[in-house]
Amino acid sequence: MPRAEHPISRDDVSENALKVLYRLSNAGYEAYLVGGCVRDILLGKHPKDFDVTTNATPEQIKGLFRNCRLIGRRFRLAHIVYGREVIEVATFRGHHQEESEEDNEQESNLSKQSDHGQLLRDNVFGSIEEDAQRRDFTINAMYYNIADFSITDFAGGMAAIKAKEIALIGDPALRYREDPVRMLRAVRFAVKLNMRISDKSAKPILELAPLLANIPAARLFEEILKLLLSGQGLETFRLLCQYHLFEPLFPLLAPMLKDQQSREVRFVEQVLINTDNRINTGQRVTPAFIFAAFLWYPLEERVQQLMVEGGLTHFDAFNLAMNDVLQKQIQRIMIPKRFTIPIREIWQLQTRMSKRFGRRAYQMLEHPKFRAAYDFLLVRSEVEGGQLLELAEWWTEFQEADEDARKTMLLTLRNTESGAGAPSRNRRYRGKKKV
């Protein structure tokens, strides 16, 4: 499509991306914008980032840019860094040789596949036509040429946009086996772009969903953030469940979600509704809150199991259960320590928020994670009701009250619950003999 037949203008492209494109082009290399940025501009959206592809090798790219760093082993990429903006540049991918034709040490260093067909290494370079065939979805195989401002649509991406359809290039089962994360990407694009996954591309997902267990846990963490912190987390969650993709991601929670009316489903969905609202109104969110919510009921279940089977106190069982649940989840999704610490704090505060006597209530308010724990309690109370609802209402009132009102609330609480866990200092020693 020549420039006159498509809406993309250089005004839609970031200044830094244009610098990269022109430097590659002026050095005699082919240079194209490709993938999501081309797709989003055609859809009238503003791209969050710009990806470039070229026939220059990673080493040749690095030779042109002092601000370049090469990353990745599975996919060798060049990152051109301009302050906070990073322009990702990839060399055209080529087709893999059949193992029987070429099985030498040099080839194994360039490409490698697992027994399931998953690509473990993919540094085979080729032409732009081969690169287009190696792309995942038809809507991501459109190339904007900086040399003449034309768009080349290799796989019917424009037709897919008009049909509002997410379709894989090539045989879907084979492409999913090459990279099982493509199943998650299909869901993410379907929700993000308000499209549907084509029947042909959807059919193999139910069978191949377990292959996500082969993906490195660190990579899945980044994918989960894209899925659930997009401002469309609820719809994404429901589509993941529909295609049984949620099970390999959260194996502890998934069995609890079979009943759509269960408290677990209602709790997860309410957390996602609240998260979507915060994201879409420009408020901050933390992945720790999402993970704390998704693992809360598995944590409760493990606590009860340890208390019954091991005869442990609730305190000891709770501390052991936190370790068990997080350790099992981290085997699937590598949650960084900067998030596991606040997850633990949110959980611990849930057990302490009912202990409001004396200075404890004031100490709770001063805790750095009190607000997150309070929001967590509000959702729990909305779903479970009962005493949790009364507890949440008490904390809501206590936060908004002045100092005199707070003292009155604590005094009233002590008087009404003194026989149920709030003994006075004198009563603590009642019945003890002096030695």
Side-chain angles (χ1 to χ4, degrees):
M1 291 179 288
R3 174 65 187 90
E5 295 180 15
H6 67 78
I8 296 183
S9 164
R10 279 171 291 176
D11 292 337
D12 301 317
V13 183
S14 84
E15 182 179 335
N16 294 322
L18 289 173
K19 288 179 183 177
V20 172
L21 289 166
Y22 277 121
R23 186 173 298 182
L24 285 166
S25 181
N26 292 337
Y29 299 109
E30 298 176 53
Y32 301 83
L33 283 180
V34 67
C37 57
V38 177
R39 176 200 69 218
D40 287 349
I41 295 174
L42 291 173
L43 286 168
K45 301 177 180 290
H46 183 70
K48 289 194 299 184
D49 45 48
F50 293 86
D51 294 337
V52 172
T53 188
T54 178
N55 60 343
T57 65
E59 289 71 21
Q60 289 170 331
I61 297 167
K62 186 172 178 62
L64 290 175
F65 298 91
R66 289 185 299 175
N67 53 335
C68 172
R69 63 183 182 215
L70 300 183
I71 66 164
R73 180 184 177 189
R74 176 171 170 266
F75 293 116
R76 195 71 165 155
L77 298 169
H79 278 183
I80 317 298
V81 182
Y82 293 95
R84 293 186 176 182
E85 185 177 18
V86 177
I87 307 300
E88 186 172 279
V89 185
T91 305
F92 296 148
R93 301 293 171 196
H95 293 306
H96 294 261
Q97 297 290 333
E98 292 293 334
E99 191 172 333
S100 59
E101 295 179 7
E102 186 174 357
D103 186 18
N104 53 47
E105 185 177 352
Q106 180 181 3
E107 177 66 17
S108 65
N109 287 332
L110 296 176
S111 66
K112 186 178 180 181
Q113 288 180 278
S114 72
D115 294 338
H116 299 288
Q118 181 180 342
L119 289 176
L120 304 178
R121 200 171 301 128
D122 187 21
N123 292 306
V124 179
F125 304 134
S127 65
I128 188 173
E129 291 80 10
E130 291 175 315
D131 187 79
Q133 292 173 355
R134 295 291 312 281
R135 297 275 159 182
D136 47 11
F137 301 102
T138 59
I139 57 175
N140 289 341
M142 293 180 286
Y143 295 68
Y144 175 80
N145 189 349
I146 196 61
D148 59 9
F149 316 125
S150 65
I151 292 178
T152 304
D153 178 4
F154 284 96
M158 289 296 293
I161 286 177
K162 291 178 181 178
K164 304 192 72 173
E165 193 170 73
I166 304 296
L168 276 158
I169 299 171
D171 176 39
L174 176 62
R175 304 310 305 278
Y176 289 143
R177 288 184 183 278
E178 286 178 350
D179 185 1
V181 169
R182 286 175 178 147
M183 293 182 281
L184 300 180
R185 285 167 59 83
V187 167
R188 178 160 62 88
F189 288 143
V191 175
K192 174 184 176 181
L193 305 175
N194 191 26
M195 296 181 178
R196 60 179 292 274
I197 303 175
S198 72
D199 294 338
K200 182 180 178 181
S201 296
K203 187 177 180 180
I205 294 180
L206 293 177
E207 176 189 351
L208 300 178
L211 292 180
L212 284 172
N214 300 327
I215 299 298
R219 186 181 176 202
L220 284 180
F221 175 75
E222 297 299 329
E223 293 298 326
I224 284 297
L225 297 190
K226 295 176 185 177
L227 288 163
L228 300 180
L229 299 182
S230 63
Q232 298 167 302
L234 177 61
E235 189 177 351
T236 302
F237 163 73
R238 289 174 174 171
L239 203 57
L240 288 172
C241 291
Q242 177 183 328
Y243 287 110
H244 294 187
L245 292 168
F246 193 80
E247 297 170 21
L249 299 175
F250 293 93
L252 295 178
L253 175 61
M256 301 179 174
L257 304 178
K258 294 179 180 179
D259 179 5
Q260 292 300 305
Q261 303 303 316
S262 67
R263 65 173 186 172
E264 289 83 2
V265 170
R266 289 185 288 120
F267 179 65
V268 166
E269 290 197 345
Q270 190 59 54
V271 166
L272 290 172
I273 289 171
N274 294 353
T275 301
D276 288 346
N277 288 338
R278 290 183 65 88
I279 292 173
N280 294 327
T281 55
Q283 300 179 68
R284 293 180 60 187
V285 297
T286 172
F289 193 92
I290 293 285
F291 283 106
F294 279 24
L295 298 175
W296 173 251
Y297 288 116
L299 173 66
E300 281 196 337
E301 183 179 74
R302 182 58 177 156
V303 169
Q304 293 302 315
Q305 184 182 14
L306 289 171
M307 291 175 67
V308 171
E309 296 178 358
L312 301 177
T313 64
H314 184 274
F315 178 83
D316 291 337
F318 192 85
N319 286 323
L320 284 175
M322 284 196 297
N323 294 332
D324 290 349
V325 168
L326 282 173
Q327 186 59 41
K328 288 180 180 178
Q329 183 58 52
I330 285 172
Q331 292 173 3
R332 291 297 178 91
I333 300 174
M334 181 57 70
I335 309 172
K337 190 174 181 180
R338 67 181 185 275
F339 295 124
T340 59
I341 291 175
I343 288 171
R344 290 174 181 271
E345 290 176 323
I346 291 171
W347 285 345
Q348 290 167 337
L349 288 174
Q350 297 306 295
T351 66
R352 291 164 52 189
M353 293 185 89
S354 60
K355 302 176 176 65
R356 299 159 282 172
F357 307 104
R359 291 294 307 168
R360 288 179 177 177
Y362 293 99
Q363 291 169 351
M364 288 284 290
L365 287 180
E366 295 170 0
H367 195 286
K369 289 294 178 288
F370 171 79
R371 184 67 201 188
Y374 168 71
D375 291 341
F376 197 93
L377 176 64
L378 287 181
V379 183
R380 288 181 60 209
S381 67
E382 186 176 341
V383 171
E384 299 183 34
Q387 292 183 344
L388 277 182
L389 192 58
E390 296 177 6
L391 182 63
E393 291 173 348
W394 189 93
W395 277 109
T396 300
E397 184 179 350
F398 189 75
Q399 291 178 79
E400 299 172 352
D402 59 28
E403 186 58 31
D404 290 338
R406 287 179 177 178
K407 290 180 180 178
T408 301
M409 288 179 67
L410 290 172
L411 181 61
T412 301
L413 185 67
R414 177 173 293 280
N415 291 337
T416 56
E417 299 188 21
S418 59
S424 65
R425 182 178 298 274
N426 291 334
R427 286 183 58 199
R428 293 179 189 174
Y429 298 94
R430 187 176 297 171
K432 290 189 177 182
K433 296 180 180 179
K434 289 185 179 181
V435 178

